[in-house]
């Protein structure tokens, strides 16, 4: 916990201090620090190769990293099991099982998790399109539906932190907006404290749903602020090369 300038107490879900991520000698993330308070969406935007995926991989413990990671005020080591701790990761490219049905996809990875049925009901309420597709092969769904399925599947374990890597990738603007609206609803409707770390290439969608945003370039955060304090035009003009 820390105090803001207004002395309001903020309960941090994730505290990242001087995180660096390496692939052998290549340093993809360079001393990045930020805090994700409970109940918020934190967006990291940046162009191809900026280091967004590596940041997520470091936090999830699947890439070599240095620095300090605290989750709910508990320090992580590289070996801490993130899934068991309450973190879910939706990697780039959806990662669903195309040959299995929607229902089967949702049942995977929740062995030992209590209240599966109520969580399934809650998620189908949030993503009604999935309810109409339950017995359909996941590979036959549209891109937006597959993305919603990937997010819903990650949510089956009732995580406190959801790591989303470019959830709108490859989707039309309309589908993309639908997916982003669903992401925002996750926080609005969750029955427990949770937060979302969202990585994206485009500022516009991220600005709409995030509370705080950092612009990443060459492994570093070059701008961080509240999303209410800046416009898409200001950010994209300042950081040429990023799409609004
Ligand atoms: P994109 O939006 O294209 O996914 P990104 O912002 O997620 O990009 P990263 O994938 O994190 O960027 O890549 C950051 C840097 O790390 C790049 O220079 C990339 O070439 C390098 N990199 C990423 N993955 C690996 C890997 N497995 N081995 C070696 N280098 C890697």
């Amino acid at each position: 916990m820390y105090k803001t300038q207004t002395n309001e107490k903020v309960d941090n879900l994730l505290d990242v201090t001087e995180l660096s991520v390496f692939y052998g000698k290549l340093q993809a993330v360079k001393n990045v620090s930020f805090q994700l308070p409970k109940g918020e969406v934190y967006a990291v935007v940046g162009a191809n190769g900026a280091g967004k995926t590596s940041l997520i991989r470091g936090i999830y413990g699947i890439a070599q990293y240095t620095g300090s990671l605290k989750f709910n005020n508990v320090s992580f080591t590289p070996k801490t099991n993130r899934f068991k701790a309450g973190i879910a990761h939706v990697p780039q490219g959806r990662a669903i099982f195309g040959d299995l049905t929607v229902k089967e996809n949702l049942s995977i990875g929740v062995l030992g998790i209590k209240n599966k049925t109520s969580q399934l009901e809650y998620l189908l309420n949030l993503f009604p399109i999935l309810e109409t597709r339950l017995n359909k092969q996941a590979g036959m769904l549209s891109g937006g539906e597959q993305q919603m399925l990937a997010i819903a599947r990650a949510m089956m374990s009732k995580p406190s932190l959801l790591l989303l890597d470019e959830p709108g990738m490859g989707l039309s603007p309309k589908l993309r907006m639908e997916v982003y609206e669903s992401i925002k609803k996750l926080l609005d409707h969750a029955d427990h404290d949770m937060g979302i770390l969202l990585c994206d290439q485009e500022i516009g969608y991220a600005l709409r749903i995030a509370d705080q945003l950092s612009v990443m370039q060459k492994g570093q955060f070059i701008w961080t602020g509240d999303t209410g304090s800046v416009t898409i035009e200001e950010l994209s003009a300042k950081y040429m090369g990023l799409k609004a």
Side-chain angles (χ1 to χ4, degrees), residues 23 26 28 46-55 92 165-166 201:
Y23 300 105
L26 187 136
N48 268 330
K52 307 177 298 293
T53 298
S54 304
L55 175 73
Q92 234 174 47
D165 196 354
E166 300 201 29
Q201 283 201 18

Side-chain angles (χ1 to χ4, degrees), residues 41-204:
V41 178
Y42 195 112
V44 177
V45 293
N48 268 330
K52 307 177 298 293
T53 298
S54 304
L55 175 73
I56 284 187
R57 289 170 58 85
I59 292 170
Y60 203 60
I62 51 175
Q64 190 203 335
Y65 71 88
T66 59
S68 145
L69 293 172
K70 276 188 188 167
F71 182 59
N72 276 322
N73 277 324
V74 176
S75 291
F76 272 3
T77 73
K79 288 192 173 158
T80 308
N81 184 318
R82 270 55 172 180
F83 178 76
K84 278 193 184 157
I87 301 182
H89 176 213
V90 183
Q92 234 174 47
R94 293 166 213 155
I96 53 149
F97 296 99
D99 292 340
L100 302 184
T101 65
V102 167
K103 199 170 181 182
E104 286 164 345
N105 265 278
L106 290 170
S107 336
I108 286 173
V110 286
L111 288 174
I113 303 277
K114 287 179 189 159
N115 300 326
K116 266 178 276 194
T117 313
S118 63
Q119 187 66 354
L120 180 63
E121 276 169 22
Y122 158 75
L123 288 167
L124 293 178
N125 228 355
L126 223 49
F127 301 100
I129 193 75
L130 294 181
E131 181 145 38
T132 65
R133 308 274 194 272
L134 269 182
N135 296 312
K136 207 169 175 182
Q137 241 185 317
M140 305 298 280
L141 301 181
S142 74
E145 290 164 357
Q146 288 189 17
Q147 189 60 65
M148 286 180 195
L149 174 59
I151 295 170
R153 201 184 68 186
M155 286 294 296
M156 281 296 285
S157 59
K158 280 193 140 197
S160 298
L161 173 62
L162 192 57
L163 304 174
L164 295 175
D165 196 354
E166 300 201 29
M169 193 171 71
L171 300 182
S172 68
K174 184 173 170 285
L175 281 182
R176 208 176 168 143
M177 207 53 245
E178 279 175 27
V179 169
Y180 274 68
E181 274 162 13
S182 312
I183 293 169
K184 187 70 183 162
K185 277 192 213 155
L186 290 173
L187 280 191
D188 295 343
H189 296 264
D191 64 357
H192 62 294
D193 280 332
M194 68 173 280
I196 295 177
L197 178 66
L198 165 77
C199 286
D200 209 303
Q201 283 201 18
E202 296 186 23
I203 290 175

